Amino acid sequence: MNEVSHRRIKTNGIWVHIAEQGRGPLVLLLHGFPEIWYSWRHQISFLANHGYHVVAPDLRGYGDSDSPLSPSSYTFMHYVGDIIGLLDHLGEQQAFVVGHDVGAAIAWHLSLFRPERVKASINLGVAYFDRNPNAKLGESLIRTFGDGFYISQFQEPGRAERTFAGYDYLTVIKKFLLITQTDNLIAPPGMEIIDYLETPSRLPPWITEEELQVYADKFQESGFTGALNYYRALDLNWELTAPWQGSKIRVPVKFMVGENDIGFDINGIRQYIEGNVFRNLIPDLEVVMLDGHHYLQQEKHHQVSEEILSFLAKFPPE
């Protein structure tokens, strides 16, 4: 089996870096915040060794992919356009699409906008919600959770970047990737979210200092602005996705979530994904809850890899 290879391709007007390995049906792995392709390191080789062509891009704004300057260049239209261009470049009409966190949100909207390009999707950590016709997402989050909520603080260009700069890059990465709290990420009044988040004194067994340093080094090169611009486009997304109000996700989906994920119980996410509304929006849905936190594909990489493989096996090559 060949090792993971790297290249940059031109898609949707930008250069996107991809890591890839293996031959066979195409599986795209879309990472979250604050991550890069490397968050899928366990799944890349595992799936490649089981007969798949695995491609993990750095999303626009991350890693070695381009970072357009304007937050308005980070809508779902842009991310989905990047993925469609990637599929075209690879000469593939369809792909299996796996997304986590921000990558899950993008995968949901890829399935919504262009279902004919998605053979099946596996999403981790972020469920699909129908668009609320009465309230923009960013504004409603601020009203609901206040200024201390992490997404609220990410809205203002430069605010999070300035506060992140009070720490070295490795500490910032640790504060996010090693989160174990299950309540919402809301800083007390007058405090910035990065100051509120704890820095663990000991690493969990599922990640090493060297692995965390890979993220830190890459964000030291790229900065955080491109990654944060996704959150700054939430209200623009609300405006642009109006034509899909009430639409269903018409591709087969497996949704995985950690039972100790942030806000899983107190925000009613457990009840939502077990209820009828979620299943009505996604008629062909399988839900798996794991004993883990938010960054499942790393913390529970053996289980997640096996869950992905078992779902892919339901769709043999034609």
Side-chain angles (χ1 to χ4, degrees):
M1 174 61 62
N2 293 330
E3 296 299 314
V4 176
S5 62
H6 299 264
R7 55 180 166 140
R8 275 164 48 98
I9 67 162
K10 193 69 175 288
T11 171
N12 196 23
I14 65 170
W15 288 96
V16 168
H17 163 259
I18 62 172
E20 62 183 325
Q21 186 177 11
R23 293 183 179 180
L26 178 61
V27 181
L28 294 183
L29 304 176
L30 308 180
H31 67 80
F33 175 89
E35 298 175 294
I36 51 175
W37 72 270
Y38 187 71
S39 70
W40 298 106
R41 59 196 176 281
H42 303 292
Q43 288 75 33
I44 292 172
S45 294
F46 178 86
L47 294 173
N49 286 329
H50 283 84
Y52 292 93
H53 177 200
V54 187
V55 173
D58 287 337
L59 299 176
R60 65 166 53 210
Y62 288 83
D64 291 320
S65 293
D66 284 355
S67 296
L69 294 177
S70 173
S72 64
S73 294
Y74 291 82
T75 70
F76 287 132
M77 303 298 178
H78 292 87
Y79 290 110
V80 170
D82 297 345
I83 301 304
I84 294 298
L86 174 57
L87 291 178
D88 291 344
H89 181 90
L90 296 172
E92 298 283 357
Q93 180 59 31
Q94 282 192 320
F96 296 107
V97 181
V98 185
H100 168 252
D101 187 75
V102 171
I106 295 166
W108 287 121
H109 285 83
L110 173 62
S111 297
L112 182 67
F113 298 161
R114 299 296 303 273
E116 79 282 4
R117 305 302 297 268
V118 181
K119 191 160 189 178
S121 186
I122 302 167
N123 292 325
L124 285 72
V126 172
Y128 178 73
F129 293 86
D130 194 12
R131 176 182 179 274
N132 181 350
N134 301 312
K136 294 182 179 182
L137 179 56
E139 292 179 359
S140 66
L141 290 174
I142 293 172
R143 283 197 302 271
T144 302
F145 298 112
D147 179 71
F149 189 49
Y150 76 104
I151 293 178
S152 303
Q153 295 194 2
F154 289 176
Q155 295 300 298
E156 178 189 336
R159 176 178 178 178
E161 292 92 326
R162 288 191 297 272
T163 61
F164 287 12
Y167 301 88
D168 61 79
Y169 285 88
L170 181 59
T171 299
V172 173
I173 294 300
K174 286 180 177 180
K175 281 173 172 279
F176 282 105
L177 293 193
L178 306 182
I179 285 174
T180 57
Q181 71 181 72
T182 56
D183 54 347
N184 288 314
L185 299 186
I186 302 176
M191 179 179 286
E192 298 298 313
I193 194 67
I194 197 66
D195 299 325
Y196 169 69
L197 294 176
E198 296 180 355
T199 307
S201 58
R202 298 176 61 184
L203 297 184
W206 53 267
I207 199 164
T208 67
E209 192 85 7
E210 291 74 22
E211 289 172 323
L212 289 163
Q213 192 66 52
V214 172
Y215 295 101
D217 289 345
K218 196 53 64 178
F219 277 99
Q220 187 162 6
E221 293 176 14
S222 67
F224 288 100
T225 298
L228 292 164
N229 278 342
Y230 162 83
Y231 300 95
R232 294 164 184 161
L234 290 179
D235 286 345
L236 181 55
N237 273 329
W238 181 87
E239 296 177 16
L240 295 174
T241 54
W244 289 271
Q245 178 73 45
S247 296
K248 298 179 185 294
I249 302 291
R250 297 290 187 181
V251 305
V253 176
K254 173 181 272 191
F255 178 66
M256 283 187 272
V257 64
E259 292 190 278
N260 297 308
D261 203 341
I262 303 156
F264 183 63
D265 280 312
I266 64 173
N267 289 339
I269 303 299
R270 182 192 296 272
Q271 290 76 16
Y272 174 72
I273 67 173
E274 292 178 336
N276 292 329
V277 173
F278 191 43
R279 294 181 181 278
N280 287 337
L281 286 170
I282 310 145
D284 192 350
L285 174 68
E286 178 181 339
V287 173
V288 176
M289 289 183 277
L290 300 177
D291 180 19
H293 297 86
H294 186 63
Y295 296 93
L296 277 180
Q297 78 272 35
Q298 299 180 80
E299 180 188 5
K300 299 291 181 179
H301 61 88
H302 290 298
Q303 287 177 268
V304 168
S305 296
E306 292 289 354
E307 289 285 353
I308 293 172
L309 184 64
S310 69
F311 193 64
L312 300 184
K314 296 181 178 181
F315 308 93
E318 298 176 358

